[in-house]
Amino acid sequence: MTIRILIADDEALLRMAFSTVLEAQPDMTPVGEAADGIQAIRLARELRPDVVLMDVRMPGTDGIEATRQVIRISPQSRVLILTTFDLDEYAFAGLNAGASGFLLKNTRPEELLTAIRSVAAGDAVVSPRITRRLLENLRPHIPDGSSPGRDERLSRLSAREREVLIHVGCGLSNTEIAATLYLAEATVKSHLGRILQKLELRDRIQAVIFAYESRLIRPA
């Protein structure tokens, strides 16, 4: 499958650099470029890309609001936020807007390409530091498990799917879960796909949050 990618950044040289890297990949095709949030929204509506590389700070409509609108008008599109600034508020706002990943622009090309493939496959790409900070911010709002009952949606999962969800909630990658549960990585991916479908969740980040909010995992 060829991954169709929309590049949204207000710096023309960066758009050109990203496009050059993507065009060299046999499974990726840049389908459009946007210099601001409004253009990104319009092109997402017209092109329906698989992945949008979205800058945070752009003139007019910024990347956070553009992400929110792109997800609304093109639900199948995944947004990977790229920024020069390693700030928690950008990461949290982007993930809250529906982004599936958050990376710094100085990320190595091979890491960017891996992230694009992961996001296109329905996974989420967020650094462990951001995940920890996200959970720390959520902790005051997460039940401590002392009250009875859990989210009724948990009953939709098999015992193995619950086990996989627990490990996802603990921050393990698919490779780590496969090693821990003695499963093939492809099997873990299949379990995760079914978990997201059954729980009506968008991606791995939402699965992590659900694992805590449903009291499947108690905050440390």
Side-chain angles (χ1 to χ4, degrees), residues 66-80:
T67 294
R68 185 175 292 107
Q69 295 197 38
V70 166
I71 296 302
R72 179 178 58 82
I73 65 177
S74 182
Q76 76 276 16
S77 297
R78 304 283 175 169
V79 176
L80 180 58

Side-chain angles (χ1 to χ4, degrees), residues 1 4 9 11 17-18 24 35 52 68 110-112 114 140 152 162 184 190 206-207 210 217:
M1 183 187 72
R4 303 172 66 255
D9 197 293
E11 296 188 35
F18 286 141
V52 180
R68 185 175 292 107
E110 57 269 28
E111 293 176 350
L112 172 62
T114 297
E152 62 180 13
R162 286 195 187 198
S190 295
Q206 289 192 349
F210 176 87
I217 297 176

Side-chain angles (χ1 to χ4, degrees), residues 8-153:
D9 197 293
D10 62 343
E11 296 188 35
L13 286 178
L14 276 176
R15 295 198 304 272
M16 183 184 302
F18 286 141
S19 184
T20 299
V21 172
L22 298 176
E23 287 174 346
Q25 306 306 307
D27 60 339
M28 297 182 187
T29 300
V31 295
E33 296 183 10
D36 56 44
I38 293 296
Q39 284 187 333
I41 295 165
R42 177 175 59 79
L43 289 175
R45 179 184 293 110
E46 295 174 0
L47 302 174
R48 306 289 175 173
D50 300 307
V51 175
V52 180
L53 298 184
M54 184 76 76
D55 185 22
V56 171
R57 300 181 68 173
M58 294 186 288
T61 300
D62 65 20
I64 304 300
E65 178 59 27
T67 294
R68 185 175 292 107
Q69 295 197 38
V70 166
I71 296 302
R72 179 178 58 82
I73 65 177
S74 182
Q76 76 276 16
S77 297
R78 304 283 175 169
V79 176
L80 180 58
I81 288 182
L82 299 174
T83 179
T84 308
F85 307 95
D86 187 13
L87 299 176
D88 289 343
E89 54 263 36
Y90 286 161
F92 299 157
L95 295 173
N96 188 53
S100 296
F102 179 91
L103 291 177
L104 295 179
K105 288 183 180 179
N106 62 3
T107 297
R108 293 180 299 174
E110 57 269 28
E111 293 176 350
L112 172 62
L113 296 173
T114 297
I116 291 172
R117 293 185 178 102
S118 296
V119 167
D123 209 342
V125 180
V126 184
S127 72
R129 185 191 68 81
I130 292 296
T131 301
R132 287 194 299 271
R133 292 287 296 133
L134 176 64
L135 293 177
E136 286 172 9
N137 278 266
L138 281 172
R139 186 168 293 144
H141 309 289
I142 297 174
D144 62 6
S146 58
S147 56
R150 289 182 174 179
D151 193 304
E152 62 180 13
R153 287 178 291 173

